[in-house]
Amino acid sequence: MTITENYNKILAKIPKDVTLVAVSKTKPIEAIETVYNEGQRIFGENRVQELVEKHEALPKDIEWHMIGHLQSKKVKNIAPFVSLIHSVDSIKLLQEINKQAEKNDRKIDCLLQFYIAQESTKYGFDLSEITPFIETELVSLKNINIIGVMGMATFTDDTLVVKTEFQKLKSIFDELKQNHLPNIETISMGMSGDFELAIQEGSNMVRVGSSIFGGRG
Ligand SMILES: *Cc1c(COP(=O)(O)O)cnc(C)c1O
């Protein structure tokens, strides 16, 4: 199947109230243009350098999402244009995003990444780690806007494990919304292999790469 066919097939499986982030990491400009020409405007990348280069090369109405682990020292490179950072996994990083957003006279939307997988390689907060900060210092960070949560499930064929992890992220979202951050709306969970399950479990933002663009080799 072509990229266009893949894209339209995925789109048909996603309800209208769920946002599709087309994950274009490692893929060439032409592949992104193909999907752009089908109407897609939200693209996700996981490396700062690649994100900056693609932003420069492509139409300016694209909304670029940073989805990969972000080092504080690199925030300044994406702060002028990034539209959502999914992978905020430390308080230090939140503070740096706030600082760089202020320098650019912007307010940057962020998702808090939570640790839900069994694998020890995934980044993210624990709820108990971030709630004291939310209740005290968060108000002073005027240039960030926390709009929701993000998580990555364990890479496994065991649907029950993945489902349990998605339920964990949904319950973290519910707890935060009810008791700490009443304005949050976004749950970013689900990738090529598990986005339908993620949507069943409450996701309203899915990050799909290889099912659209093909494998990354
Ligand atoms: C690569 C990546 C995706 C997309 O993965 P696919 O399996 O190719 O759909 C989603 N989220 C994050 C954080 C990624 O790094």
Side-chain angles (χ1 to χ4, degrees):
M1 287 218 291
T2 65
I3 291 176
T4 302
E5 286 166 343
N6 289 340
Y7 171 70
N8 285 301
K9 199 173 147 198
I10 296 292
L11 210 55
K13 289 182 182 169
I14 295 176
K16 286 282 164 285
D17 56 348
V18 174
T19 301
L20 170 62
V21 179
V23 176
S24 49
K25 64 190 188 195
T26 77
K27 298 299 175 183
I29 297 293
E30 304 77 60
I32 300 174
E33 282 170 338
T34 300
V35 177
Y36 178 89
N37 289 335
E38 292 299 301
Q40 180 69 21
R41 291 294 178 272
I42 303 176
F43 291 88
E45 290 283 334
N46 71 337
R47 286 175 195 277
V48 166
Q49 189 55 36
E50 199 175 333
L51 181 52
V52 168
E53 286 170 10
K54 286 175 174 173
H55 167 256
E56 280 169 10
L58 282 153
K60 294 300 169 278
D61 63 343
I62 290 179
E63 292 176 35
W64 290 103
H65 288 196
M66 177 62 189
I67 63 169
H69 180 62
L70 178 58
Q71 288 176 277
S72 294
K73 65 178 184 195
K74 294 188 177 172
V75 173
K76 61 177 182 298
N77 300 316
I78 60 171
F81 68 89
V82 71
S83 70
L84 179 61
I85 301 175
H86 290 234
S87 42
V88 178
D89 58 5
S90 74
I91 289 166
K92 182 176 162 228
L93 182 57
L94 266 180
Q95 289 164 332
E96 180 65 16
I97 294 167
N98 183 67
K99 183 175 146 191
Q100 297 300 334
E102 194 178 353
K103 278 190 186 166
N104 285 278
D105 201 17
R106 303 184 61 205
K107 197 158 179 167
I108 296 180
D109 286 344
C110 297
L111 301 178
L112 299 175
Q113 180 171 358
F114 283 92
Y115 183 79
I116 54 170
Q118 290 175 345
E119 298 159 313
S120 58
T121 51
K122 301 275 197 288
Y123 295 98
F125 286 111
D126 276 328
L127 195 53
S128 59
E129 177 188 1
I130 188 71
T131 47
F133 178 82
I134 291 171
E135 292 306 324
T136 56
E137 290 165 67
L138 184 62
V139 295
S140 68
L141 304 185
K142 305 279 185 222
N143 292 75
I144 55 167
N145 195 14
I146 294 177
I147 65 162
V149 301
M150 179 270 214
M152 286 176 83
T154 303
F155 188 70
T156 172
D157 290 334
D158 189 338
T159 311
L160 197 58
V161 168
V162 175
K163 185 175 169 154
T164 305
E165 291 171 359
F166 285 159
Q167 288 169 344
K168 186 172 169 192
L169 187 62
K170 175 65 163 65
S171 74
I172 289 170
F173 172 85
D174 290 342
E175 157 69 15
L176 281 175
K177 187 168 174 69
Q178 190 161 14
N179 295 320
H180 306 283
L181 295 167
N183 296 325
I184 59 173
E185 298 292 350
T186 302
I187 305 179
S188 168
M189 65 181 186
M191 318 191 344
S192 289
D194 54 23
F195 73 88
E196 290 173 287
L197 178 60
I199 292 167
Q200 275 172 35
E201 298 304 330
S203 170
N204 56 18
M205 185 174 279
V206 294
R207 310 177 308 269
V208 179
S210 48
S211 290
I212 297 173
F213 293 103
R216 287 177 295 270

